[in-house]
Short mmCIF file of all heavy atoms in Angstrom, two decimals:
data_model
loop_
_atom_site.label_atom_id
_atom_site.label_comp_id
_atom_site.label_asym_id
_atom_site.label_seq_id
_atom_site.Cartn_x
_atom_site.Cartn_y
_atom_site.Cartn_z
N PRO A 52 -28.48 9.42 8.30
CA PRO A 52 -29.45 10.52 8.20
C PRO A 52 -30.06 10.95 9.53
O PRO A 52 -30.79 11.94 9.57
CB PRO A 52 -30.53 9.92 7.28
CG PRO A 52 -30.45 8.44 7.52
CD PRO A 52 -29.01 8.16 7.77
N ALA A 53 -29.78 10.24 10.63
CA ALA A 53 -30.36 10.61 11.92
C ALA A 53 -29.83 11.97 12.37
O ALA A 53 -28.75 12.41 11.97
CB ALA A 53 -30.03 9.54 12.96
N LEU A 54 -30.60 12.63 13.23
CA LEU A 54 -30.21 13.97 13.69
C LEU A 54 -29.07 13.90 14.70
O LEU A 54 -28.22 14.78 14.75
CB LEU A 54 -31.42 14.67 14.33
CG LEU A 54 -32.57 14.99 13.37
CD1 LEU A 54 -33.74 15.61 14.13
CD2 LEU A 54 -32.10 15.94 12.28
N GLU A 55 -29.03 12.84 15.52
CA GLU A 55 -27.99 12.72 16.55
C GLU A 55 -26.71 12.19 15.92
O GLU A 55 -26.72 11.20 15.20
CB GLU A 55 -28.46 11.77 17.65
CG GLU A 55 -27.48 11.67 18.81
CD GLU A 55 -27.97 10.69 19.86
OE1 GLU A 55 -29.01 10.05 19.63
OE2 GLU A 55 -27.30 10.56 20.90
N ALA A 56 -25.59 12.87 16.18
CA ALA A 56 -24.31 12.47 15.60
C ALA A 56 -23.93 11.06 16.06
O ALA A 56 -24.12 10.69 17.22
CB ALA A 56 -23.23 13.46 16.00
N ALA A 57 -23.39 10.30 15.15
CA ALA A 57 -23.00 8.91 15.42
C ALA A 57 -21.50 8.79 15.57
O ALA A 57 -20.74 9.73 15.28
CB ALA A 57 -23.48 8.00 14.30
N ILE A 58 -21.07 7.62 16.02
CA ILE A 58 -19.65 7.29 16.07
C ILE A 58 -19.40 6.12 15.12
O ILE A 58 -20.13 5.12 15.14
CB ILE A 58 -19.19 6.95 17.51
CG1 ILE A 58 -17.70 6.63 17.52
CG2 ILE A 58 -19.99 5.80 18.09
CD1 ILE A 58 -17.14 6.52 18.93
N MET A 59 -18.43 6.27 14.22
CA MET A 59 -18.09 5.22 13.27
C MET A 59 -17.14 4.21 13.93
O MET A 59 -16.12 4.60 14.50
CB MET A 59 -17.40 5.80 12.03
CG MET A 59 -18.30 6.65 11.17
SD MET A 59 -19.40 5.63 10.18
CE MET A 59 -20.03 6.86 9.02
N ILE A 60 -17.48 2.94 13.83
CA ILE A 60 -16.62 1.86 14.31
C ILE A 60 -16.25 1.02 13.09
O ILE A 60 -17.13 0.43 12.44
CB ILE A 60 -17.32 1.01 15.38
CG1 ILE A 60 -17.62 1.86 16.60
CG2 ILE A 60 -16.48 -0.20 15.75
CD1 ILE A 60 -18.42 1.14 17.67
N GLY A 61 -14.98 0.98 12.74
CA GLY A 61 -14.58 0.38 11.48
C GLY A 61 -13.78 -0.90 11.63
O GLY A 61 -12.94 -1.02 12.53
N THR A 62 -14.05 -1.85 10.74
CA THR A 62 -13.24 -3.07 10.67
C THR A 62 -12.30 -3.02 9.47
O THR A 62 -11.61 -4.00 9.19
CB THR A 62 -14.14 -4.32 10.53
OG1 THR A 62 -14.76 -4.32 9.24
CG2 THR A 62 -15.21 -4.35 11.60
N VAL A 63 -12.29 -1.91 8.75
CA VAL A 63 -11.48 -1.78 7.54
C VAL A 63 -10.34 -0.79 7.79
O VAL A 63 -10.47 0.12 8.62
CB VAL A 63 -12.34 -1.31 6.35
CG1 VAL A 63 -13.35 -2.38 6.00
CG2 VAL A 63 -13.04 0.00 6.65
N PRO A 64 -9.20 -0.93 7.12
CA PRO A 64 -8.05 -0.06 7.40
C PRO A 64 -8.25 1.33 6.79
O PRO A 64 -8.86 1.48 5.73
CB PRO A 64 -6.89 -0.79 6.72
CG PRO A 64 -7.52 -1.59 5.63
CD PRO A 64 -8.86 -2.00 6.15
N PRO A 65 -7.70 2.36 7.42
CA PRO A 65 -7.87 3.73 6.92
C PRO A 65 -7.08 4.02 5.66
O PRO A 65 -7.33 5.03 5.01
CB PRO A 65 -7.38 4.59 8.09
CG PRO A 65 -6.42 3.71 8.84
CD PRO A 65 -6.96 2.33 8.70
N TYR A 66 -6.11 3.16 5.31
CA TYR A 66 -5.33 3.42 4.10
C TYR A 66 -5.98 2.80 2.86
O TYR A 66 -5.45 2.90 1.77
CB TYR A 66 -3.89 2.92 4.25
CG TYR A 66 -3.74 1.55 4.85
CD1 TYR A 66 -4.05 0.40 4.13
CD2 TYR A 66 -3.30 1.39 6.16
CE1 TYR A 66 -3.92 -0.85 4.68
CE2 TYR A 66 -3.16 0.14 6.73
CZ TYR A 66 -3.47 -0.98 5.99
OH TYR A 66 -3.35 -2.22 6.55
N HIS A 67 -7.12 2.14 3.00
CA HIS A 67 -7.94 1.74 1.87
C HIS A 67 -8.98 2.83 1.62
O HIS A 67 -9.46 3.47 2.55
CB HIS A 67 -8.63 0.40 2.17
CG HIS A 67 -9.38 -0.17 1.00
ND1 HIS A 67 -10.65 0.23 0.68
CD2 HIS A 67 -9.03 -1.10 0.08
CE1 HIS A 67 -11.06 -0.43 -0.39
NE2 HIS A 67 -10.09 -1.24 -0.77
N MET A 68 -9.35 3.07 0.36
CA MET A 68 -10.23 4.19 0.04
C MET A 68 -11.53 4.13 0.82
O MET A 68 -12.05 5.16 1.26
CB MET A 68 -10.51 4.20 -1.47
CG MET A 68 -11.18 5.47 -1.96
SD MET A 68 -10.09 6.91 -1.77
CE MET A 68 -11.28 8.24 -1.93
N TYR A 69 -12.08 2.96 1.04
CA TYR A 69 -13.32 2.79 1.80
C TYR A 69 -13.15 3.28 3.23
O TYR A 69 -13.93 4.10 3.73
CB TYR A 69 -13.70 1.31 1.75
CG TYR A 69 -14.90 0.88 2.56
CD1 TYR A 69 -15.97 1.72 2.81
CD2 TYR A 69 -14.96 -0.43 3.05
CE1 TYR A 69 -17.07 1.29 3.55
CE2 TYR A 69 -16.05 -0.88 3.77
CZ TYR A 69 -17.10 -0.02 4.03
OH TYR A 69 -18.19 -0.46 4.75
N GLY A 70 -12.10 2.82 3.91
CA GLY A 70 -11.85 3.27 5.28
C GLY A 70 -11.44 4.73 5.33
O GLY A 70 -11.79 5.46 6.28
N PHE A 71 -10.68 5.18 4.35
CA PHE A 71 -10.22 6.58 4.29
C PHE A 71 -11.42 7.53 4.27
O PHE A 71 -11.48 8.51 5.00
CB PHE A 71 -9.35 6.75 3.06
CG PHE A 71 -8.73 8.11 2.89
CD1 PHE A 71 -8.07 8.74 3.94
CD2 PHE A 71 -8.80 8.77 1.67
CE1 PHE A 71 -7.49 9.99 3.78
CE2 PHE A 71 -8.22 10.01 1.50
CZ PHE A 71 -7.57 10.63 2.56
N GLU A 72 -12.40 7.22 3.43
CA GLU A 72 -13.57 8.10 3.31
C GLU A 72 -14.46 8.05 4.54
O GLU A 72 -14.96 9.09 4.97
CB GLU A 72 -14.40 7.70 2.08
CG GLU A 72 -13.81 8.11 0.76
CD GLU A 72 -14.80 7.98 -0.37
OE1 GLU A 72 -15.34 6.88 -0.56
OE2 GLU A 72 -15.05 8.98 -1.06
N THR A 73 -14.69 6.86 5.10
CA THR A 73 -15.67 6.73 6.18
C THR A 73 -15.10 7.01 7.56
O THR A 73 -15.74 7.67 8.38
CB THR A 73 -16.28 5.31 6.16
OG1 THR A 73 -15.22 4.34 6.19
CG2 THR A 73 -17.13 5.10 4.92
N LEU A 74 -13.89 6.52 7.84
CA LEU A 74 -13.34 6.61 9.19
C LEU A 74 -12.48 7.85 9.40
O LEU A 74 -12.34 8.32 10.54
CB LEU A 74 -12.50 5.36 9.50
CG LEU A 74 -13.22 4.02 9.33
CD1 LEU A 74 -12.26 2.87 9.62
CD2 LEU A 74 -14.44 3.95 10.22
N VAL A 75 -11.89 8.38 8.34
CA VAL A 75 -10.99 9.53 8.47
C VAL A 75 -11.67 10.82 8.01
O VAL A 75 -11.83 11.77 8.77
CB VAL A 75 -9.68 9.29 7.68
CG1 VAL A 75 -8.79 10.52 7.75
CG2 VAL A 75 -8.95 8.08 8.22
N LEU A 76 -12.12 10.85 6.76
CA LEU A 76 -12.65 12.10 6.20
C LEU A 76 -13.98 12.48 6.81
O LEU A 76 -14.25 13.67 7.01
CB LEU A 76 -12.76 11.97 4.68
CG LEU A 76 -11.43 11.74 3.95
CD1 LEU A 76 -11.65 11.67 2.45
CD2 LEU A 76 -10.43 12.84 4.28
N GLN A 77 -14.85 11.50 7.11
CA GLN A 77 -16.11 11.85 7.75
C GLN A 77 -15.87 12.50 9.12
O GLN A 77 -16.55 13.46 9.50
CB GLN A 77 -16.99 10.60 7.93
CG GLN A 77 -17.70 10.15 6.67
CD GLN A 77 -18.82 11.08 6.26
OE1 GLN A 77 -19.43 11.76 7.07
NE2 GLN A 77 -19.10 11.14 4.96
N ALA A 78 -14.86 12.00 9.85
CA ALA A 78 -14.55 12.59 11.15
C ALA A 78 -14.05 14.02 11.03
O ALA A 78 -14.35 14.88 11.86
CB ALA A 78 -13.52 11.73 11.89
N LEU A 79 -13.28 14.30 9.97
CA LEU A 79 -12.73 15.64 9.79
C LEU A 79 -13.74 16.62 9.22
O LEU A 79 -13.75 17.80 9.58
CB LEU A 79 -11.51 15.59 8.86
CG LEU A 79 -10.29 14.80 9.35
CD1 LEU A 79 -9.21 14.79 8.29
CD2 LEU A 79 -9.76 15.39 10.65
N HIS A 80 -14.61 16.15 8.34
CA HIS A 80 -15.46 17.06 7.55
C HIS A 80 -16.88 17.21 8.06
O HIS A 80 -17.55 18.17 7.70
CB HIS A 80 -15.53 16.56 6.10
CG HIS A 80 -14.21 16.53 5.41
ND1 HIS A 80 -13.95 15.70 4.32
CD2 HIS A 80 -13.06 17.20 5.64
CE1 HIS A 80 -12.70 15.88 3.92
NE2 HIS A 80 -12.15 16.77 4.71
N THR A 81 -17.38 16.25 8.86
CA THR A 81 -18.79 16.28 9.26
C THR A 81 -18.91 16.11 10.77
O THR A 81 -17.91 16.08 11.49
CB THR A 81 -19.59 15.17 8.55
OG1 THR A 81 -19.28 13.90 9.14
CG2 THR A 81 -19.27 15.11 7.06
N ARG A 82 -20.14 15.95 11.24
CA ARG A 82 -20.40 15.83 12.67
C ARG A 82 -20.08 14.44 13.22
O ARG A 82 -20.11 14.24 14.44
CB ARG A 82 -21.88 16.12 12.93
CG ARG A 82 -22.81 15.20 12.15
CD ARG A 82 -24.28 15.50 12.47
NE ARG A 82 -25.20 14.84 11.57
CZ ARG A 82 -25.49 13.54 11.58
NH1 ARG A 82 -24.89 12.75 12.45
NH2 ARG A 82 -26.35 13.04 10.73
#
């Protein structure tokens, strides 16, 4: 919720739904 854009650092793989949503789709769809 912070105003300054963050960088996601993930320990989960992008081909799992959790990593897919947070590490891939957030990067494409949001700030």
Side-chain angles (χ1 to χ4, degrees):
L54 294 177
E55 184 182 5
I58 181 170
M59 292 283 193
I60 297 175
T62 69
V63 294
Y66 45 75
H67 186 277
M68 192 65 196
Y69 175 31
F71 184 48
E72 284 193 305
T73 53
L74 305 178
V75 177
L76 298 181
Q77 282 289 332
L79 296 177
H80 298 156
T81 74
R82 57 178 169 75

